[in-house]
């Protein structure tokens, strides 16, 4: 038997330790090189992810199994069930843009033609094994699926490919978590993440199925191996539900101020216009062009999450508010629609919708369908709509002509160059609701504020300055008509 000196053992250990440190340095360098500098301020997002280790004894419910998405080197897979091959390719290209927005390096992408996704592994066992070979060859650490996977599909696919599997919904939730800045936006994203995470909560090993409580024997297990009480996974789920209930209360409270502002605008008969559209269609650029709002404009998906309200005026001097809202996308996760419902009320309460579509996109008609689907979910489908075909400076003229023929309310603009903005303002002026209560009043000269409000919020039909005051005949809203009633002029 050969003896080993303490010094040689120490040398061996030191060599292994150096190797470990080298690997850590390489990993750190990879993280720093591949992360977008604009996305490093994510301390709040990190709090929503699972901490290191396998313990399920939670100090904070947000540590549970919503795994930290360090999407570094990814492979994409989509199941093509209907439509054309071009549509399937475009969907995967959009998934690529989503992955890159989240900070990923996309190595490869595939689509598979099936009648329906495989109920076990989403792509089928044979395709899953092929994907495993590609992942090994490319050195990928994540597989992203272009669809929402069930908990069992997620688990079984991971068993085959041996790397982390993320579906489209988790990817979009992660992007929202990166971009949320306001307190309300962060709470809404956290609620959506927990709603997604709850049915997918998984544990590690036998510990998650053990029950606590009762008489504990050796090893902390009751008589017969299990005692009465909750399992650890049940405890975690209960804590998540409690946290979700708390978040809903907080979001409702934070929405009160916006409701008050909407009611005040309604009382003053200020018309409301909501800007909606596909993500990165140019909504914030259009808001800036119409109002000079100075809102952040970024060539990225979901750059805007928090609604921005600004005042504007029609060419004939009528005031209205413009609200920039969160962008939509194909198959927008229903968890997000539900969580952002209080924010989306800005759309459902609007008098007019400006539906912005990217005229330079490969499938602008698909954008229109995706956005209108979400509008239907929030009860805003019947609000008058102007289709604003944006990015005319970069679009194919034949595509613009096709969209104008298809959409009778379409207005072609370029928010970047200003082309078509005057025509858009004229269309807004024509489509905004007109005051419908006709009044004839004699306002004393010391009530100049009321005269100004009639000009600002109503349609003045006739005006005359007399010895005792200003005589007006105008159409105004009901609230303003009630304030003017004491000054009704005699016939």
């Amino acid at each position: 038997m050969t003896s080993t000196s303490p010094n040689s053992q120490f040398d061996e250990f030191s060599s292994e330790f150096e190797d470990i440190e080298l690997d850590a340095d390489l990993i750190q360098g990879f993280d720093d090189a591949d992360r977008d500098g604009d996305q490093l301020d994510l301390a709040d997002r990190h709090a929503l992810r699972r901490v290191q280790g396998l313990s399920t004894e939670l100090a904070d419910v947000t540590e549970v199994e919503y795994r930290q998405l360090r999407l570094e080197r990814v492979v994409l897979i989509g199941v093509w069930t209907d439509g054309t091959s071009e549509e399937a390719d475009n969907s995967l290209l959009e998934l690529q843009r989503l992955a890159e927005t989240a900070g990923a390096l996309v190595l490869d992408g595939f689509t598979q033609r099936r009648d329906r996704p495989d109920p076990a592994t989403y792509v089928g066992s044979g395709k899953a094994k092929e994907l495993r070979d590609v992942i090994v060859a490319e050195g990928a650490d994540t597989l992203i699926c272009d669809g929402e996977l069930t908990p069992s599909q997620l688990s079984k696919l991971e068993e085959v490919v041996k790397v982390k599997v993320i579906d489209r919904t988790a990817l979009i939730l992660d992007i929202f978590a990166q971009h949320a800045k306001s307190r309300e936006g962060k709470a809404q994203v956290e609620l959506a993440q927990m709603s997604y995470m709850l049915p997918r909560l998984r544990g590690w090993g036998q510990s998650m199925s053990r029950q606590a409580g009762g008489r504990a024997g050796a090893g902390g297990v009751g008589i017969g191996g299990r005692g009465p009480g909750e399992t650890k996974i049940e405890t975690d789920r209960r804590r998540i539900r409690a946290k979700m209930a708390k978040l809903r209360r907080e979001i409702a409270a934070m929405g009160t101020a916006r409701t008050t502002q909407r009611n005040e605008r309604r009382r003053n008969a200020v018309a409301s216009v909501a800007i909606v559209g596909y993500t990165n269609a140019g909504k914030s650029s259009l808001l800036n062009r119409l109002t000079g709002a100075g809102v952040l404009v970024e060539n990225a998906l979901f750059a805007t999450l928090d609604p921005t309200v600004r005042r504007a005026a029609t060419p004939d001097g009528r005031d209205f508010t413009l609200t920039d809202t969160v962008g939509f996308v194909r198959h927008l996760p229903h968890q997000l629609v539900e969580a952002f419902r209080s924010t989306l009320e800005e759309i459902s309460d609007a008098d007019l919708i400006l539906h912005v579509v990217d005229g330079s996109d490969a499938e602008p008609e698909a954008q229109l369908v995706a956005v209108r689907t979400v509008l239907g979910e929030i009860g805003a489908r019947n609000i008058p709509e102007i289709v604003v075909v944006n990015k005319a400076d970069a679009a194919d003229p034949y595509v613009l002509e096709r969209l104008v023929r298809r959409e009778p309310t379409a207005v072609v603009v370029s928010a970047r160059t200003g082309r078509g903005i005057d025509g858009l303002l004229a269309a807004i002026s024509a489509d905004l609701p007109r005051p419908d209560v006709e009044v004839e009043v004699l306002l004393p000269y010391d009530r100049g504020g009321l005269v100004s409000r009639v000009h600002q919020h109503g349609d003045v039909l006739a005006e005359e300055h007399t010895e005792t005051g200003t005589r007006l005949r105008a159409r105004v809203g009901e609230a303003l008509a009630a304030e003017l009633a004491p000054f009704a002029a005699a016939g």
Side-chain angles (χ1 to χ4, degrees), residues 343-403:
T343 300
L344 296 175
E345 285 175 1
E346 293 285 353
I347 301 173
S348 56
D349 283 349
D351 297 303
L352 177 67
I353 287 175
L354 299 186
H355 184 166
V356 183
V357 60
D358 182 356
S360 66
D361 187 77
E363 291 183 292
E365 289 88 355
Q367 288 192 5
L368 289 166
V369 171
V371 172
R372 284 169 176 162
T373 298
V374 180
L375 292 178
E377 289 183 39
I378 62 174
R381 190 65 187 88
N382 295 323
I383 297 174
E385 174 190 70
I386 296 175
V387 175
V388 183
V389 184
N390 193 23
K391 305 187 183 180
D393 53 310
D396 185 334
Y398 295 105
V399 173
L400 297 179
E401 184 180 346
R402 187 178 76 218
L403 288 170

Side-chain angles (χ1 to χ4, degrees), residues 26-39:
L26 286 172
I27 293 170
Q28 182 61 42
F30 180 84
D31 281 348
D32 293 341
D34 284 4
R35 288 210 174 275
D36 181 355
D38 292 335
Q39 307 301 332

Side-chain angles (χ1 to χ4, degrees), residues 4 79 85 111 164 183 212 315 320 329 376 459 462 479 491:
T4 306
V79 172
S85 60
T111 58
K164 178 173 52 189
R183 179 166 165 255
F320 64 94
V329 72
D459 289 336

Side-chain angles (χ1 to χ4, degrees), residues 67 75-79 112 117-132 135 142-167 202:
R67 293 161 300 171
V75 172
L76 310 179
I77 179 65
V79 172
Q112 184 193 20
D118 182 70
T121 60
Y122 179 68
V123 294
S125 57
K127 188 67 173 180
K129 291 175 182 175
E130 290 180 34
L131 283 172
R132 171 59 185 164
I135 288 167
T142 304
L143 176 68
I144 305 181
C145 301
D146 191 18
E148 182 169 338
L149 273 60
T150 65
S152 62
Q153 285 175 326
L154 191 67
S155 176
K156 290 177 181 176
L157 187 55
E158 279 188 344
E159 287 178 8
V160 178
V161 298
K162 306 299 183 185
V163 295
K164 178 173 52 189
V165 176
I166 301 297
D167 63 12
R202 291 179 291 166

